[in-house]
Amino acid sequence: MSTTPLAFPDGFLWGAATAAYQIEGAARTGGRQDSIWDTFARVPGAVADAHNGDIACDHYHRTGQDVELMRSLNLKAYRFSTSWARCMPDGRTPNPEGIAFYSRLVDELLAAGITPWLTLYHWDLPQALEDEGGWANRETAELFAAYAVVMHEALGDRVRIWTTLNEPWCSAFLGYAAGVHAPGRQEPAAALAAAHHLLLGHGLAAAELRRRDPEASLGITLNLTVADPADPDSAGDRDAARRIDGLHNRIFLDPLFRGEYPADVLDDVAGLGFDAVVQDGDLAVISAPMDLLGVNYYQGEALTKAAPAEEPGQPETVTTTAQAAPASAVRPVASPFVSADGVHSVPRGLPVTGMGWEVQPEGLCRLLMRLQREYTGPAGIPIYMTENGAAYPDAPDAEGFVDDQDRLAFFDAHLRAVRDAIDGGADVRGYLAWSLLDNFEWAYGYHQRFGLVRVDYDTLERIPKASGLWYAEVAAANAVPARTG
């Protein structure tokens, strides 16, 4: 295989992304208190080998080193999340010491010529609020807006790009229906309530930020899939794909961009109390105009309603991005898809990553074109790739260097898919790789590595991988180089 060099449009934004709980550590430093992930990690069998984020990459104490690392990799933007549990440990009361940490981070980024891209919520709800019902409780949406105000008062003079939520699908359905993620509940009605309240929290927070800062760029990040019927001629498979598309993509996209929930999804979830959750005026708040849409993409799905030939004792569910629990996390889990009983994912013979996710770059191109056609294009807003990357079983050499050609090839193929979408008319303006560092990978603990930079978890030494050095060249040249082999 050979490819040619591929330039990106002028001004295309190159960066990388992380999340607070996955890298910061310092779990009991500076007034921080438990988030739902601290609590969940202590549940027997919930996280592989009982790993937790107490230390993680110790980014809290190594911020200067990590910002210098970003600068050396030619990153122009850094997407990070602020920890609600660090900044407002009880969910209500500001913690000046926790907030000051992010103020120092922002200052260091700006001094290094790196644009800070702040995500307010990447799954670390204060445990104190979960004790009151978590995202299934409507008040959490209102408290989230108050948290946004506190963070803007501290950082709004320097942070110009704000994401409210990262992947509300994971927060709602992995956390409250499947039990794979914190808080580990398996309550379909609560998951639907959480999905709505997350969207409501987005809308309320965005309105508060907009009132205070009309020139800021505001958006949300969704993890989206491409749901294909395994057999396009099968009515059952087409319905399977429709259900997953509805429960994964459109349940968020339609309220945000059209001010309504999809009628077929409402029919699918009838009887789960969702109609009582949505109140008058909510959808107007949720659908207020945004400035950008963040897209996280890892794989698509081929879906069927035909039961696999050999699947004794397995639940009727699909395995989707970020869903599956590792074998060493032995806590029983359920399906996140609360109205898709009997739907199964069908392997297509594609290469897979260390997570078992299929490598499907053409799906990314199709996804971006669909968004441009049906959602972001009519809204007149750009798309940014806010996460894309892959875990592989990295093998460091004696010096700790990882020659990760598989990950490098993954990035190469997906960046070419992004450029194909741009050529097709999709308004995509940036790409933030997942992830800057190897880190705590949720229920997988430290067993899966996504980083452009290897972290030795014994010494916490950071060593850029081959993919990281390659990505630095891409960012410097604003182009993907030719590739052979």
Side-chain angles (χ1 to χ4, degrees):
M1 178 195 76
S2 63
T3 59
T4 59
L6 194 64
F8 277 71
D10 290 344
F12 195 82
L13 186 65
W14 297 98
T18 65
Y21 188 76
Q22 291 181 275
I23 69 165
E24 285 180 4
R28 294 166 187 85
T29 299
R32 184 188 181 278
Q33 296 179 19
D34 278 355
S35 74
I36 54 175
W37 269 97
D38 296 278
T39 302
F40 186 66
R42 293 194 289 265
V43 175
V47 176
D49 294 329
H51 290 171
N52 59 54
D54 286 0
I55 298 174
C57 304
D58 196 34
H59 172 71
Y60 183 90
H61 295 111
R62 298 166 188 260
T63 305
Q65 175 186 352
D66 288 341
V67 171
E68 174 57 25
L69 186 60
M70 297 175 216
R71 190 201 59 75
S72 73
L73 294 175
N74 302 317
L75 302 186
K76 303 300 186 291
Y78 175 52
R79 178 175 171 256
F80 63 96
S81 73
T82 52
S83 168
W84 195 349
R86 190 180 298 283
C87 297
M88 301 177 76
D90 64 358
R92 292 178 168 85
T93 309
N95 172 31
E97 188 171 353
I99 296 168
F101 164 70
Y102 297 105
S103 185
R104 292 192 299 272
L105 170 61
V106 168
D107 285 346
E108 294 198 38
L109 290 168
L110 292 172
I114 299 168
T115 297
W117 183 316
L118 192 156
T119 297
L120 285 164
Y121 186 75
H122 199 131
W123 309 352
D124 48 0
L125 185 72
Q127 181 60 41
L129 296 187
E130 178 58 31
D131 293 341
E132 299 174 13
W135 285 108
N137 176 11
R138 185 181 178 91
E139 186 187 11
T140 302
E142 299 164 358
L143 293 170
F144 179 68
Y147 160 56
V149 170
V150 167
M151 299 312 297
H152 187 270
E153 288 176 348
L155 306 176
D157 59 328
R158 290 158 288 160
V159 174
R160 310 308 303 141
I161 308 176
W162 296 77
T163 295
T164 52
L165 306 172
N166 179 77
E167 300 185 349
W169 182 85
C170 293
S171 296
F173 293 105
L174 296 185
Y176 288 83
V180 173
H181 281 189
R185 292 163 63 176
Q186 298 177 23
E187 306 165 32
L192 287 166
H196 179 69
H197 294 150
L198 282 154
L199 285 173
L200 181 61
H202 155 78
L204 292 171
E208 293 290 350
L209 294 173
R210 184 78 71 199
R211 274 195 287 272
R212 287 163 173 77
D213 195 351
E215 302 305 314
S217 293
L218 309 178
I220 189 172
T221 281
L222 304 178
N223 60 309
L224 300 171
T225 190
V226 177
D228 292 322
D231 178 0
D233 295 326
S234 164
D237 288 6
R238 292 196 302 271
D239 184 65
R242 177 197 65 78
R243 286 176 180 269
I244 300 307
D245 181 56
L247 284 166
H248 200 128
N249 297 333
R250 292 182 289 116
I251 196 171
F252 297 104
L253 287 166
D254 282 28
L256 288 164
F257 287 94
R258 298 173 180 170
E260 62 185 12
Y261 284 103
D264 64 312
V265 173
L266 294 178
D267 288 342
D268 290 344
V269 302
L272 290 174
F274 192 55
D275 52 347
V277 172
V278 183
Q279 297 185 12
D280 290 345
D282 286 0
L283 287 161
V285 173
I286 292 167
S287 61
M290 297 183 289
D291 301 302
L292 59 91
L293 176 68
V295 173
N296 295 355
Y297 174 83
Y298 291 93
Q299 68 167 18
E301 312 289 341
L303 300 155
T304 183
K305 280 194 172 178
E310 295 184 14
E311 199 178 8
Q314 295 298 310
E316 292 190 341
T317 181
V318 298
T319 298
T320 64
T321 302
Q323 176 199 335
S328 52
V330 296
R331 182 174 177 269
V333 297
S335 171
F337 293 105
V338 298
S339 60
D341 289 345
V343 172
H344 303 269
S345 180
V346 179
R348 290 170 285 191
L350 297 172
V352 297
T353 69
M355 300 283 283
W357 300 343
E358 293 185 327
V359 179
Q360 190 194 1
E362 62 83 22
L364 174 56
C365 182
R366 283 195 287 136
L367 171 63
L368 294 171
M369 293 301 297
R370 178 193 182 186
L371 291 170
Q372 182 70 31
R373 182 175 62 251
E374 300 181 17
Y375 295 102
T376 56
I381 67 169
I383 300 167
Y384 286 82
M385 291 300 305
T386 42
E387 285 185 29
N388 181 233
Y392 286 103
D394 295 341
D397 64 16
E399 284 71 44
F401 178 74
V402 175
D403 186 18
D404 56 337
Q405 294 299 315
D406 39 15
R407 185 176 291 107
L408 192 159
F410 180 99
F411 282 123
D412 179 273
H414 285 78
L415 285 170
R416 292 177 183 277
V418 170
R419 184 59 214 241
D420 286 346
I422 293 172
D423 290 343
D427 186 6
V428 185
R429 299 190 189 177
Y431 181 96
L432 292 89
W434 186 268
S435 177
L436 175 67
L437 303 171
D438 291 338
N439 55 47
F440 176 83
E441 188 49 45
W442 309 116
Y444 288 84
Y446 296 99
H447 292 292
Q448 297 290 344
R449 293 174 177 264
F450 281 82
L452 294 166
V453 175
R454 182 177 187 268
V455 176
D456 183 319
Y457 293 125
D458 293 325
T459 66
L460 297 176
E461 182 182 11
R462 282 94 155 114
I463 302 176
K465 303 174 188 176
S467 62
L469 299 176
W470 175 88
Y471 189 68
E473 295 178 2
V474 170
N478 195 35
V480 176
R483 183 166 167 79
T484 60

